Amino acid sequence: MSQRSYFECLDIKQLLTDYPVGQDFTRRYRSISHDELRGLQDAQFTRLMVRGWQIPFYRRLWGARGIEPGDIRSLDDITKLPVYDKSDLMESVNATPPYGDFDGRGSDPVIFHTTSGTTGRPQPLMFGPKGREVTNLLVGRMYRWMGLEPDDVVHSVYGHGMINGGHYIREAVTHFTSALFLSAGTGIETRSVNQVNLMADFGVTVMVGFVDYIRKLAEMAEAEGLFDRIKLRMIIGHLGTEDRAATEAAWHGAKAFDWYGVGDTGTIAGEGPDRNGLYVWEDAQYLELLDVENGQPVQFGETGDMVVTCLFKDDIAPCIRFNTHDITHELAGQGEIAFRRIAGFKGRSDNMVKLRGINIFPHAIAALIENRSDLTGEYVCTLSRNAAGRDSMLVAIESRGGSDVAALSELLRRGLGVEVDVTLCPPGGTSEATQIDMRQKPIRLIDKRGL
């Protein structure tokens, strides 16, 4: 069997032509027409569908709906295809262990990782050289558009090990920017006190990762008295429902940028220099917003599940109508470039809980308890059911002292629309439950109902 090296499997010059970076990116997409952009998407989708029909997972998924290759002629027909989510991929893994049947591996090199397992057992993730480098390119392009410069020193708190995040972000920065990159990882990989000292010693100017841990590091830097040596100017993370101003204040004015993506897809959308919504990378990703209940397209401005088709992943592991179960809504108007804009991550539809008839997104609590000097901003929710079948939620909130439980309970009742119980714990008191030092995404909901 013949073997090709990783670099023989892709044409990097062609990738940079197809997915431009830097000034070439903004020049092309500031004024592109809707029809021209649709044409680019449609051409990629046609190639993607050819590859999709070669993958057993999609042949089963589509065949079960009576779909044949000739039924899908263009991107206009995409809604004829069923969506799928992680549960379908894990069923595939269980039926054909250990990798499932949703990749089309041959003799070419494969990049293998897993998801973090935030919502269950880790899922296998496979990338071919082309798919991998486009995911890297999209992050590098996004960082540069946000303002990453060649002389920046980037400190990354994304996790490594089997998790995709840290490896892929390192590749993005080292392959598609000229910045210097520090792979610090999570608090379990490099202790928090060591991380902030590394930042001071090596002149870190940009930090990337999940905001929960980034803000914890700010408290550590403060405790270590390092802010006279750390000159952080930019944070590129996942703000979600977190308050941007509070994050920036914690790092003494560093400018925070938001972006969104998942392991299967890479970056889907990110802010530009205007920080006015997240631009969907429409030259590479096709995003649909579908109603959480019935799966139909939502009206403009309404909240829906983000369902993603990676137009570029036509090598080893195609991604066609993957339901992330992360919710957002589209923004009106046009920003600096012609791509659509979304509001960013607003919660998970599969992490939404119904408490006494009210839908609750645990992530929404973050915005309610921020910007208070008596609280650290850390919390965890525990959902339980008593013998009579009544559900209740206990929210443990970290307090530095002086917090009023009754006042916090009323704050959450007004913000969530339903009464919840509140308990206070000292700083660090939720870390064992949230696993903030070990996980890229802290646990915010523990469901003890046994459903």
Side-chain angles (χ1 to χ4, degrees):
M1 180 182 293
S2 63
Q3 296 186 44
R4 296 194 297 172
S5 72
Y6 183 92
F7 299 101
E8 291 175 287
C9 297
L10 72 157
D11 181 343
I12 193 64
K13 289 186 177 180
Q14 187 61 51
L15 287 189
L16 287 166
T17 297
D18 294 340
Y19 309 98
V21 174
Q23 291 184 351
D24 292 337
F25 163 65
T26 52
R27 187 180 301 116
R28 178 182 294 182
Y29 293 118
R30 275 201 177 109
S31 58
I32 191 171
S33 70
H34 173 78
D35 289 344
E36 186 179 358
L37 180 58
R38 184 71 172 191
L40 290 174
Q41 293 176 324
D42 203 47
Q44 293 183 83
F45 181 69
T46 300
R47 291 193 297 270
L48 179 65
M49 285 302 299
V50 171
R51 184 57 172 144
W53 279 111
Q54 297 169 355
I55 307 298
F57 175 83
Y58 289 110
R59 289 202 301 269
R60 285 191 297 101
L61 183 69
W62 299 338
R65 297 291 184 92
I67 299 170
E68 298 180 356
D71 296 335
I72 311 299
R73 299 180 179 274
S74 72
L75 196 54
D76 292 335
D77 296 324
I78 195 170
T79 55
K80 297 177 181 178
L81 297 171
V83 302
Y84 69 98
D85 60 16
K86 180 177 178 177
S87 66
D88 297 299
L89 297 177
M90 296 312 296
E91 283 182 14
S92 168
V93 170
N94 292 334
T96 54
Y99 302 111
D101 65 349
F102 46 87
D103 69 90
R105 281 172 291 155
S107 59
D108 285 343
V110 176
I111 306 297
F112 178 74
H113 289 291
T114 68
T115 61
S116 62
T118 302
T119 57
R121 177 183 173 188
Q123 170 200 321
L125 295 173
M126 294 194 188
F127 305 88
K130 177 194 172 185
R132 184 65 170 192
E133 287 309 316
V134 176
T135 60
N136 294 337
L137 180 152
L138 293 175
V139 168
R141 177 174 83 178
M142 175 181 67
Y143 281 6
R144 287 171 61 173
W145 191 36
M146 288 172 171
L148 186 69
E149 298 290 346
D151 59 354
D152 276 318
V153 180
V154 180
H155 184 93
S156 170
V157 297
Y158 287 104
H160 298 93
M162 288 304 301
I163 297 171
N164 179 46
H167 303 280
Y168 134 70
I169 298 299
R170 174 183 53 80
E171 292 165 17
V173 172
T174 56
H175 294 187
F176 294 100
T177 85
S178 299
L180 191 64
F181 190 78
L182 278 62
S183 296
T186 65
I188 200 71
E189 294 174 278
T190 307
R191 292 176 58 218
S192 299
V193 66
N194 292 346
Q195 292 215 24
V196 294
N197 278 280
L198 284 171
M199 294 176 68
D201 291 343
F202 291 111
V204 165
T205 55
V206 177
M207 182 152 47
V208 299
F210 287 89
V211 170
D212 310 72
Y213 187 62
I214 286 174
R215 288 176 62 173
K216 180 174 181 177
L217 285 181
E219 293 193 359
M220 181 62 70
E222 203 78 68
E224 291 289 299
L226 291 173
F227 271 104
D228 60 333
R229 295 176 56 205
I230 296 176
K231 306 302 180 185
L232 195 71
R233 70 174 188 86
M234 184 161 67
I235 296 165
I236 308 175
H238 310 277
L239 297 177
T241 57
E242 256 76 16
D243 183 74
R244 186 195 306 269
T247 301
E248 293 178 336
W251 278 102
H252 291 205
K255 204 171 182 179
F257 291 80
D258 192 14
W259 70 280
Y260 170 76
V262 295
D264 304 75
T265 66
T267 176
I268 295 167
E271 290 186 318
D274 58 353
R275 299 196 299 173
N276 184 21
L278 276 62
Y279 293 84
V280 179
W281 312 126
E282 290 194 279
D283 60 337
Q285 309 278 22
Y286 185 75
L287 177 66
E288 303 170 78
L289 299 183
L290 304 185
D291 186 272
V292 173
E293 301 293 337
N294 60 33
Q296 296 301 307
V298 300
Q299 295 295 313
F300 184 87
E302 291 183 355
T303 297
D305 273 332
M306 288 189 263
V307 175
V308 185
T309 296
C310 299
L311 298 170
F312 60 91
K313 288 184 72 176
D314 56 4
D315 51 0
I316 287 176
C319 181
I320 305 170
R321 297 202 90 197
F322 175 67
N323 190 345
T324 67
H325 288 294
D326 290 336
I327 63 170
T328 192
H329 63 270
E330 189 172 350
L331 300 179
Q334 182 174 318
E336 295 190 5
I337 58 176
F339 294 166
R340 299 160 59 201
R341 292 173 304 130
I342 58 174
F345 172 78
K346 296 302 176 186
R348 289 192 59 82
S349 62
D350 62 355
N351 203 24
M352 179 185 74
V353 294
K354 192 175 287 290
L355 183 62
R356 297 189 290 280
I358 302 297
N359 292 334
I360 294 180
F361 294 95
H363 282 88
I365 293 174
L368 298 174
I369 64 172
E370 286 187 325
N371 300 320
R372 293 178 51 135
S373 60
D374 60 320
L375 304 177
T376 69
E378 288 299 313
Y379 67 97
V380 65
C381 308
T382 302
L383 194 64
S384 59
R385 176 172 291 173
N386 65 18
R390 184 179 188 272
D391 291 343
S392 62
M393 179 181 285
L394 176 66
V395 183
I397 300 175
E398 292 186 11
S399 171
R400 297 186 177 95
S403 302
D404 186 313
V405 171
L408 284 172
S409 298
E410 177 60 17
L411 175 69
L412 296 191
R413 186 193 66 77
R414 292 198 311 268
L416 301 175
V418 65
E419 185 176 339
V420 297
D421 299 315
V422 172
T423 185
L424 300 178
C425 57
T430 66
S431 62
E432 183 176 350
T434 64
Q435 300 180 28
I436 191 170
D437 289 314
M438 295 179 284
R439 304 174 69 94
Q440 292 195 119
K441 304 174 188 176
I443 296 168
R444 296 299 182 194
L445 176 67
I446 299 171
D447 193 341
K448 293 186 173 181
R449 295 175 299 172
L451 301 179

